[in-house]
Amino acid sequence: MKPAFVFGTRPEIIKLAPVIRAFEELDVKPLLVHTGQHYDYEMSRVFLEELELDGIDYHLEVGSGTQAEQTGTAMIKIEKVLMEEKPDVTLVQGDTNTVLAGALASVKLKIPVAHVEAGLRSFDRTMPEEINRILADHASEILFAPTEEARRNLEREGITSGVYVVGNTIVDAVLQNAEVAERKSDVLDRLGLRPKGYVLITAHRAENTDRKENLERLVEILEDLPITAVYPMHPRTRRRLEEFGLWERVKSIENLTVMKPLGYLDFLKLERNAKLIMTDSGGIQEESIILNVPCLTLRYNTERPETIEAGGNVLVGLEKERALHYVERLLNDEEFYRKMAGAPNPFGDGKAGKRIAEILLELWKKGELKVRSSRFI
Ligand code: UD1
Ligand code: UDP
């Protein structure tokens, strides 16, 4: 069997690594295709090194661009690889432009698509990610939903066959790397941080960074945080801060340390030892509940409602008063803190990667890994 993995950004590398590993353990050699949507060392290569994904077969060097430029260029280049390599299945993960490009290029060549982390919905179609998720799910033959909630979202859109609830591979990634991170990373010493003595911040999403008034609201929250803060900053945010003339303001915040994005081991260690996390990232909302760290999400909706229902995550948007209210409460109300930190992980047992590889291998052996003419026959 020949599975092709198409990926291109930081979270895709992290979340697909456990699936790639699981195939290798079944003696199946995966074809690895990196679109190059992320290309800085600290957004891509560092993860390939740390997660030991050294055998990338194709680097497509798509790079940055408008939505259509990036997606279109990726499609053209992925199609060439798939035509040449003729894999049995194409795996994509999540909701990036790389995912949409991989799914469309593949299904049109009649190579079935397996979507890892299928069925997530923010119910906000103004987000590029929501469009990517919906279209990728509808182009996919096999849908690996992380939770029952995700399965129900697919069902609501008429997708009921080929759906498997397997958990989220982020749990695999955290379990496989958290201990190593704790041992190997010296990030706390490097940054002069005390365990549970700081808040960890990340924000990069288009809706928070691409409009000056929104980015300024984020800066205002950062300016008033009553606790030491660290912010490994996505290059998109850094660029926008400079463009909008806000960078100097951020740099002058006394209790805030801004740095380049970190590798996975350093970042996991920072997450695990944070008092709380403030983020607009999808993966970090998941990791915080897995690591028992309260999360305040800098968004007005989330495609991870399980984290809210479990009690480990609160949506604060860019509302300064609301955000600071929850920060104060987490710092001062021990019982509230314990409740949020103790929320149960809704994303599974850390064996999602193994399940995905086994299911696909089984379908392939039975000759059932193909694009069907209809979902309903
Ligand atoms: C993309 C995904 C987003 C995901 C994020 C993970 C889409 C539509 N968005 O957003 O869902 O959460 O990846 O981090 O696919 N840049 C660099 N160096 C890099 C990569 C990007 O400087 O290595 C800068 C460029 O200025 C680029 C900007 O970041 O224009 C945005 O990059 P892009 O890949 O378009 O989207 P992300 O914001 O990374
Ligand atoms: N991450 C990292 N270093 C950082 C920031 C994030 O290793 O400086 C990891 C984080 O642990 C998580 C993933 O990157 O697994 C999340 O990626 P991102 O926030 O870019 O994307 P999203 O999950 O929002 O799509």
Side-chain angles (χ1 to χ4, degrees), residues 3 31 41 64 90 98 115 118 137 140-141 190 203 224 296 303-304 324 334 353 365:
L31 182 82
Y41 173 81
S64 305
T90 302
T98 289
H115 190 197
D137 282 340
S140 293
E141 211 56 37
R190 265 180 12 240
D224 281 356
L296 302 180
E303 54 294 312
R304 275 92 175 167
L324 295 179
E334 265 182 47
K365 280 184 185 158

Side-chain angles (χ1 to χ4, degrees), residues 10-11 14-15 43 47 95 170 202 204-205 232 234 261-264 267 271 280-284 287 304:
R10 164 168 84 183
I14 292 169
K15 288 178 169 178
M43 294 299 288
F47 302 103
D95 53 23
I170 194 68
T202 83
H204 70 278
R205 223 153 268 290
H234 192 294
L262 293 167
Y264 196 44
F267 194 77
E271 280 184 294
D280 65 8
S281 157
I284 297 169
E287 286 169 342
R304 275 92 175 167

Side-chain angles (χ1 to χ4, degrees), residues 191 193 198-202 228-232 255-257 259 270:
L191 299 174
L193 296 168
Y198 61 93
V199 48
L200 174 61
I201 319 259
T202 83
T228 301
V230 278
Y231 186 165
N255 57 342
L256 174 72
T257 307
M259 70 210 80
L270 266 192

Side-chain angles (χ1 to χ4, degrees), residues 5 17 27 95 113 152 162 192 268 284 294 354:
F5 285 76
D27 283 329
D95 53 23
V113 178
R152 278 195 295 276
L268 267 179
I284 297 169
K354 188 166 182 285

Side-chain angles (χ1 to χ4, degrees), residues 222 229-233 238 247 250-251 256-260:
L222 298 178
V230 278
Y231 186 165
M233 192 174 278
R238 170 72 195 257
W247 175 237
V250 169
K251 263 194 355 196
L256 174 72
T257 307
V258 177
M259 70 210 80
K260 279 189 163 193

Side-chain angles (χ1 to χ4, degrees), residues 27-125:
D27 283 329
V28 175
K29 188 181 167 337
L31 182 82
L32 303 185
V33 184
H34 190 319
T35 61
Q37 178 172 344
H38 284 175
Y39 42 85
D40 288 347
Y41 173 81
E42 57 274 7
M43 294 299 288
S44 170
R45 182 92 239 151
V46 65
F47 302 103
L48 301 175
E49 287 172 7
E50 286 183 342
L51 303 171
E52 293 172 18
L53 298 175
D54 33 21
I56 301 291
D57 297 285
Y58 292 89
H59 282 284
L60 303 184
E61 294 177 8
V62 169
S64 305
T66 65
Q67 294 292 315
E69 279 165 359
Q70 194 174 55
T71 312
T73 310
M75 263 188 88
I76 292 167
K77 294 188 170 189
I78 293 166
E79 183 182 57
K80 285 204 175 84
V81 173
L82 296 179
M83 283 166 78
E84 172 81 22
E85 294 283 346
K86 300 184 177 50
D88 295 300
V89 61
T90 302
L91 286 98
V92 291
Q93 193 285 332
D95 53 23
T96 65
N97 289 344
T98 289
V99 171
L100 177 59
L104 283 182
S106 182
V107 68
K108 290 191 169 198
L109 291 171
K110 301 179 191 57
I111 299 167
V113 178
H115 190 197
V116 179
E117 205 180 66
L120 271 61
R121 296 290 181 269
S122 65
F123 302 101
D124 177 0
R125 292 176 70 255

